[in-house]
Amino acid sequence: MPRRKIVAALDIGTSKVVALVGEVDTYDQLSIIGLGEAASVGLRRGMIVDIERTSRSVAEAVAAAERMSGISLSSVVVGISGAHIATLNNRGVVAVANPGREIMPEDVVRVLHAAQVINLSSERHILHVLPRQYIVDGCDGIIDPTGMAGSRLEVEALIVTAATTWVRNLHYCLQKAGLHVDGLVLSPLAAAEVVLEPAEKELGTILVDIGGGTTEIAIFDRGGLWFTSVLPMGGDFVTSDLAVGLRLPLVEAERLKRSFVPPAAGNGEAATIEVGTGLHRQEVSQDLLASIIEPRLEEIFQFVQGEIARSGYPALLPGGVVLTGGIAALDGIAELASQFLQLPVRVGYPGGVGGMVDMVRHPSYATAVGLLVHGTRLAVGQVAAAQEAGGAGFLRRFWEWVLDIFREE
Ligand SMILES: Nc1ncnc2c1ncn2[C@@H]1O[C@H](COP(=O)(O)OP(=O)(O)OP(=O)(O)O)[C@@H](O)[C@H]1O
Ligand SMILES: [Mg+2]
């Protein structure tokens, strides 16, 4: 029997740290075999503010995933996000090695390398080089030029960079938790992997991941990522507004938020929820809840609207919006978002994997499951040229380069 491959993923969010273990069978099919979760205490608005506490949360989540899967983990694929992420567009041009003949994978690797030649300060690191389109002898719109005839090969790529200090902090956290890094993946890129249909990525779709402390936006078109940005605001703001507005402890406010049913959903004006105990017991109507929750969500949608405008995209994104992240589980959020943005909106649940999927069928697991899918690709060395930075061999070299920073320590 060939040895099974094990992959592991880690999503370090503001609310929780999720560790997932997957098994890849001989047909390269991924099954989830372990999940571990821990409350996240060392992050604020998506940024690590306490390395010691973050590493403890990581170790706790990983230990739980190890117990469930019966597998000891030494390395993980990690999601990376936050306000320190930046993107820029660049072009690369090369002469095809055999002019007029077939374009080989090596030519694609060379042109992607050419696209990475940018003036980058030592404070930033390249995370991804995502080809948007290739141009062969002036003919544009090509997704994969391998096998085509031509003499001049160009690429237009989106370069995603991360702050070096952030990557270092992440490294310290993982090191303290006894883990190595298999790869760093931009979180919305991972989430998109498991909540967006290939046709949606092709058509033009906006992925909006609303977590506890951040809202991440990623616009996909023609199969690839075109734009991404992060707002340091998420569901925790809704919770703290409820806590302040209704004078409740945060845990009660959180419970209240999760039991919210939009009044328009037909439960009538009389619908109330009881909160607090003893003298502090109070009845809260769904109308009152809506008057606190909805404006905060609309603030987030306003940002989404602004970012769509800033991305330079016409409002014509036929795929509409796919909402994911924990807040996407809020009752009625898709309707509210759709009304505000005047776009079709659906909630994205992670899918497309086997094993213990029921455990992760919630929008707050989208990033973790997506990271596991990326990890599987790295493990089996199978890479879609349009999605990643070239052929598998190149990807390996690319990761080694990205991960150099981890070895410098
Ligand atoms: N069923 C639910 N209904 C409403 N809100 C929910 C539900 N489940 C989770 N949430 C909210 O989702 C948020 C957490 O989402 P998620 O787990 O995606 O965040 P995270 O990844 O830890 O944080 P971030 O991505 O911002 O760093 C919290 O604000 C939580 O209250
Ligand atoms: Mg998240």
Side-chain angles (χ1 to χ4, degrees):
M1 250 285 283
R3 238 176 89 81
R4 63 185 181 164
K5 292 190 189 91
I6 296 295
V7 288
L10 192 65
D11 173 22
I12 308 174
T14 309
S15 305
K16 62 186 193 316
V17 177
V18 179
L20 281 181
V21 188
E23 186 182 327
V24 186
D25 69 15
T26 43
Y27 300 103
D28 294 344
Q29 293 304 306
L30 168 69
S31 297
I32 294 174
I33 58 167
L35 163 74
E37 228 175 287
S40 179
V41 279
L43 271 82
R44 197 164 298 150
R45 300 177 187 185
M47 305 291 277
I48 295 172
V49 291
D50 186 330
I51 290 177
E52 189 62 47
R53 296 178 82 188
T54 305
S55 79
R56 259 185 268 144
S57 299
V58 166
E60 197 185 314
V62 167
E66 287 180 330
R67 273 195 303 277
M68 188 186 286
S69 60
I71 283 164
S72 165
L73 302 176
S74 58
S75 63
V76 286
V77 173
V78 191
I80 188 163
S81 169
H84 66 99
I85 297 289
T87 57
L88 61 110
N89 296 309
N90 204 26
R91 281 174 93 95
V93 187
V94 292
V96 175
N98 290 316
R101 304 253 306 268
E102 200 178 317
I103 295 172
M104 305 301 284
E106 296 76 40
D107 295 312
V108 179
V109 169
R110 278 194 304 122
V111 81
L112 285 166
H113 267 295
Q116 284 165 34
V117 181
I118 48 170
N119 248 337
L120 204 64
S121 75
S122 62
E123 284 148 29
R124 302 204 68 83
H125 249 70
I126 293 183
L127 198 61
H128 295 286
V129 179
L130 303 165
R132 287 176 158 180
Q133 66 163 340
Y134 292 90
I135 303 155
V136 178
D137 292 343
C139 211
D140 63 5
I142 294 165
I143 302 291
D144 183 2
T146 316
M148 289 183 177
S151 51
R152 178 187 163 95
L153 176 64
E154 291 171 69
V155 68
E156 263 179 36
L158 183 75
I159 317 262
V160 183
T161 67
T164 308
T165 41
W166 203 98
V167 180
R168 262 182 225 282
N169 286 343
L170 185 63
H171 163 65
Y172 294 143
C173 278
L174 298 172
Q175 196 178 42
K176 276 178 188 287
L179 295 164
H180 293 285
V181 174
D182 280 336
L184 293 175
V185 181
L186 183 70
S187 298
L189 206 56
E193 197 80 57
V194 290
V195 300
L196 294 190
E197 299 292 334
E200 287 175 322
K201 283 191 189 168
E202 207 52 54
L203 269 178
T205 300
I206 312 149
L207 178 74
V208 180
D209 177 336
I210 314 178
T214 64
T215 296
E216 295 164 308
I217 293 183
I219 298 182
F220 290 83
D221 193 23
R222 282 172 255 170
L225 178 73
W226 282 69
F227 178 85
T228 180
S229 87
V230 185
L231 168 77
M233 183 200 261
D236 294 349
F237 282 76
V238 178
T239 312
S240 53
D241 264 18
L242 284 173
V244 172
L246 303 170
R247 299 182 188 204
L248 292 171
L250 280 172
V251 268
E252 278 285 283
E254 178 71 30
R255 186 177 72 80
L256 203 55
K257 180 176 78 175
R258 291 185 188 216
S259 52
F260 172 62
V261 179
N267 58 325
E269 284 185 17
T272 56
I273 306 170
E274 209 168 89
V275 285
T277 50
L279 281 178
H280 300 289
R281 185 192 299 271
Q282 55 175 316
E283 298 251 311
V284 180
S285 73
Q286 293 285 5
D287 277 340
L288 178 58
L289 274 189
S291 73
I292 300 173
I293 293 175
E294 292 182 0
R296 258 289 140 97
L297 293 177
E298 282 170 3
E299 240 177 286
I300 292 176
F301 301 146
Q302 203 161 14
F303 162 77
V304 173
Q305 202 166 42
E307 289 304 280
I308 296 171
R310 195 170 72 86
S311 73
Y313 257 75
L316 243 179
L317 288 153
V321 173
V322 177
L323 281 182
T324 192
I327 282 290
L330 198 78
D331 205 347
I333 194 166
E335 293 73 19
L336 191 70
S338 180
Q339 238 169 40
F340 190 93
L341 297 168
Q342 293 292 301
L343 284 166
V345 179
R346 73 169 177 90
V347 172
Y349 288 83
V353 293
M356 300 149 108
V357 273
D358 283 344
M359 288 188 312
V360 294
R361 232 187 278 283
H362 189 276
S364 66
Y365 293 115
T367 304
V369 179
L371 289 168
L372 206 56
V373 170
H374 263 265
T376 305
R377 267 216 216 114
L378 287 173
V380 302
Q382 162 210 104
V383 179
Q387 289 290 323
E388 286 289 359
F394 171 71
L395 188 78
R396 219 171 297 119
R397 287 197 296 280
F398 178 72
W399 277 123
E400 278 165 14
W401 174 45
V402 169
L403 298 178
D404 269 353
I405 187 161
F406 286 87
R407 299 207 188 88
E408 283 164 21
E409 310 302 324

